[in-house]
């Protein structure tokens, strides 16, 4: 991973357009080709980013300003970064990450919903579990009866952090023309009122799921133990 702290201006062009005026920010360049721009707030959420696969080209403008151009491989989207002042630039090998270890109930709940996707809605079908994005895996990727993509985040207890996490996944996935438009479902045994309000405001559907009822639907005959 490459960590760059710089005074920079950022412009995204493609299906969406966005502009970040000149300011000091953190730029993360990951080995998978993704590039993300961060400020000193907003928790883990970047201000803007380019998802992989992508190509980073470093150059200089006619007036001598350092210019990075990040181009998506599958689309015409580009992320243009003008660097006025470079404050830090370092690279680190993080090795292979073992991934997020979910607690037993949450992991089992995800497995049960994958086996019974219609619990999330009539006609819902599973595409795959742990659908990988540039910022981590979405718990479930499903299709609704109309063929639309649905990203599902599964929690034992639904709180604001989970809604923020799903929002980040949705913003990224909706940049992929092969998936977009993607809507979200926030599924949990219990959803806090604040989390429900935030999810509703962002167009995310909330589903309270009954863990014990799902366990009763489990087919033990297919298991070794």
């Amino acid at each position: 991973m490459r960590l760059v702290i710089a005074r920079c201006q950022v412009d995204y062009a493609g299906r969406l357009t966005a502009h970040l005026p000149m300011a000091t920010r953190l730029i993360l360049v990951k080995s998978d080709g993704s590039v993300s721009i961060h400020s000193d707030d907003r928790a883990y959420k970047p201000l803007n980013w380019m998802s992989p696969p992508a190509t980073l080209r470093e150059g200089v403008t006619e007036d001598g300003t350092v210019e990075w151009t990040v181009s998506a491989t599958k689309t015409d989207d580009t992320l243009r970064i003008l660097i006025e002042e470079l404050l830090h630039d370092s690279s680190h090998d993080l090795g292979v990450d073992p991934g997020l270890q979910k607690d037993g109930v949450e992991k089992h709940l995800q497995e049960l919903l994958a086996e019974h996707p219609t619990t999330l809605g009539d006609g819902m079908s599973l595409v795959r579990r742990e659908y990988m994005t540039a910022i981590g895996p979405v718990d479930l990727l499903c299709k609704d009866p109309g063929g639309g993509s649905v990203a599902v985040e599964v929690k034992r207890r639904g709180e604001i952090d989970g809604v923020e996490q799903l929002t980040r996944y949705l913003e990224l996935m909706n940049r992929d023309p092969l998936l977009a438009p993607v809507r979200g479902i926030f599924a949990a045994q219990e959803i806090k009122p604040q989390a429900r309000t935030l999810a509703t405001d962002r167009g995310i559907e909330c589903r309270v799921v009954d863990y014990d009822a799902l366990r009763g639907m489990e087919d033990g005959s297919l298991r070794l133990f």
Side-chain angles (χ1 to χ4, degrees):
M1 179 182 290
R2 184 178 178 186
L3 307 176
V4 176
I5 298 176
R7 182 170 170 78
C8 61
Q9 172 184 305
V10 183
D11 290 279
Y12 191 101
R15 190 177 68 85
L16 302 173
T17 59
H19 171 72
L20 294 172
M22 194 68 70
T24 301
R25 301 184 179 94
L26 168 66
I27 306 171
L28 296 183
V29 183
K30 296 186 179 181
S31 59
D32 63 3
S34 64
V35 178
S36 56
I37 317 298
H38 299 259
S39 62
D40 197 16
D41 61 7
R42 297 164 62 93
Y44 55 81
K45 186 176 181 181
L47 297 169
N48 213 325
W49 66 89
M50 178 66 75
S51 56
T55 302
L56 169 62
R57 297 192 307 275
E58 300 184 39
V60 179
T61 64
E62 292 183 358
D63 62 2
T65 302
V66 174
E67 179 183 45
W68 290 10
T69 303
V70 187
S71 303
T73 302
K74 297 181 178 179
T75 68
D76 295 329
D77 290 17
T78 59
L79 188 69
R80 181 171 178 261
I81 306 171
L82 294 178
I83 298 178
E84 184 179 78
E85 181 181 7
L86 185 63
L87 303 175
H88 175 86
D89 189 348
S90 63
S91 297
H92 308 271
D93 184 0
L94 302 186
V96 178
D97 191 276
L100 178 66
Q101 301 297 315
K102 296 179 179 289
D103 68 50
V105 171
E106 187 172 308
K107 182 176 183 295
H108 194 207
L109 183 59
Q110 181 193 122
E111 292 172 352
L112 290 170
L113 287 172
E115 292 173 6
H116 305 283
T118 54
T119 304
L120 300 167
D122 292 339
M124 197 78 72
S125 61
L126 178 71
V127 176
R128 66 170 298 170
R129 286 182 57 200
E130 302 289 342
Y131 180 83
M132 186 58 65
T133 74
I135 54 175
V138 177
D139 288 335
L140 304 175
L141 177 62
C142 297
K143 289 286 187 180
D144 62 24
S149 300
V150 183
V152 184
E153 184 63 25
V154 181
K155 298 293 183 186
R156 184 166 58 86
R157 178 181 293 109
E159 299 181 346
I160 285 178
D161 285 350
V163 178
E164 291 284 8
Q165 183 180 359
L166 180 54
T167 300
R168 189 181 178 199
Y169 288 144
L170 289 170
E171 289 180 354
L172 183 61
M173 295 170 75
N174 272 303
R175 289 183 178 178
D176 186 342
L178 298 178
L179 292 176
V182 186
R183 64 184 179 91
I185 293 180
F186 189 50
Q189 288 180 271
E190 172 192 0
I191 299 178
K192 297 292 186 180
Q194 299 92 333
R196 184 180 293 276
T197 298
L198 181 61
T200 301
D201 182 67
R202 294 182 176 179
I204 295 171
E205 182 181 349
C206 291
R207 286 278 181 172
V208 175
V209 294
D210 188 329
Y211 177 59
D212 292 331
L214 281 169
R215 289 182 66 189
M217 298 168 66
E218 224 172 348
D219 185 357
S221 66
L222 300 179
R223 300 184 182 275
L224 292 177
F225 304 101

